[in-house]
Amino acid sequence: DHSSIIGHPLILNLHGASSNGWEAMTYTYMNEHADEHNYIAVYPNSTSLNEDLSVTVWNNLGCSASPTADGPTCNRASQNPAADIIPDNCKDVFGCNYCDCNIDDVGFINTLLDELEEKYCIDRSRIYVTGMSNGAAMTQTLGCELNHRLAAIAPINGQNVIGYNCAPKYQKKMPILN
């Protein structure tokens, strides 16, 4: 019962590129674990870059950051199919960028947290984010940009691009489980 007066922990589970929330829910079995341990699991969808929704990518800020002051953010032209279909203003000469730089996924997750906190009884001191691959890179970005709202992050099998690192935006310590 997620409408009780006792606050529930919340875990956002972010899918990888070319995946979606339903697939993340299916391959992680997190719903069963959430039911057993009384927390809320949420599987948001990133933006799709094409009409058939087969190329989805989180804008983790690093995926559209090339080139940096240190040069390109990849060591070879991207093999990611998204690199060819991103908006022209997001492309770079090195072929490293692979997400829609016009999308504010940090803002989307921040708004999603507001809506979840309004609708459900969430323990705001126990909000966590995990993600796989591109979802892991987005998890790391959220750990920097929204560290004041998160208890911890756990990126799985993914990291931000070469030369793109971020520092916590707010003066609040937060564990990172790798």
Side-chain angles (χ1 to χ4, degrees):
D1 178 19
H2 300 306
S3 62
S4 71
I5 60 170
I6 299 171
H8 298 279
L10 170 69
I11 299 180
L12 297 182
N13 186 330
L14 307 181
H15 63 79
S18 295
S19 187
N20 58 54
W22 183 85
E23 288 178 357
M25 179 184 70
T26 303
Y27 67 69
T28 62
Y29 299 99
M30 192 176 272
N31 276 357
E32 293 86 352
H33 194 265
D35 290 343
E36 289 174 19
H37 298 281
N38 201 29
Y39 65 88
I40 298 171
V42 176
Y43 311 87
N45 285 320
S46 68
T47 302
S48 180
L49 295 174
N50 60 353
E51 291 183 17
D52 70 2
L53 306 179
S54 63
V55 183
T56 55
V57 182
W58 292 103
N59 180 358
N60 58 47
L61 305 180
C63 61
S64 62
S66 189
T68 67
D70 296 326
T73 59
C74 62
N75 56 11
R76 59 174 168 67
S78 176
Q79 300 300 308
N80 191 318
D84 295 329
I85 59 176
I86 61 174
D88 287 341
N89 68 310
C90 301
K91 294 180 180 181
D92 68 300
V93 68
F94 301 103
C96 297
N97 293 344
Y98 60 90
C99 68
D100 186 341
C101 63
N102 303 304
I103 301 299
D104 179 7
D105 280 328
V106 172
F108 164 66
I109 295 295
N110 198 38
T111 300
L112 176 63
L113 290 174
D114 289 342
E115 291 177 9
L116 291 168
E117 289 173 0
E118 185 178 314
K119 184 171 184 173
Y120 301 102
C121 189
I122 304 293
D123 180 346
R124 292 180 178 161
S125 69
R126 296 189 294 167
I127 298 175
Y128 307 91
V129 180
T130 188
M132 177 74 168
S133 190
N134 173 245
M138 186 65 193
T139 296
Q140 291 175 338
T141 297
L142 294 172
C144 291
E145 297 292 319
L146 300 180
N147 67 305
H148 66 299
R149 297 191 75 171
L150 305 177
I153 61 170
I156 302 167
N157 196 29
Q159 63 186 35
N160 277 319
V161 295
I162 297 170
Y164 185 83
N165 294 307
C166 58
K169 192 171 190 175
Y170 300 93
Q171 295 296 319
K172 177 187 175 270
K173 293 182 179 184
M174 180 198 61
I176 301 172
L177 307 171
N178 277 326

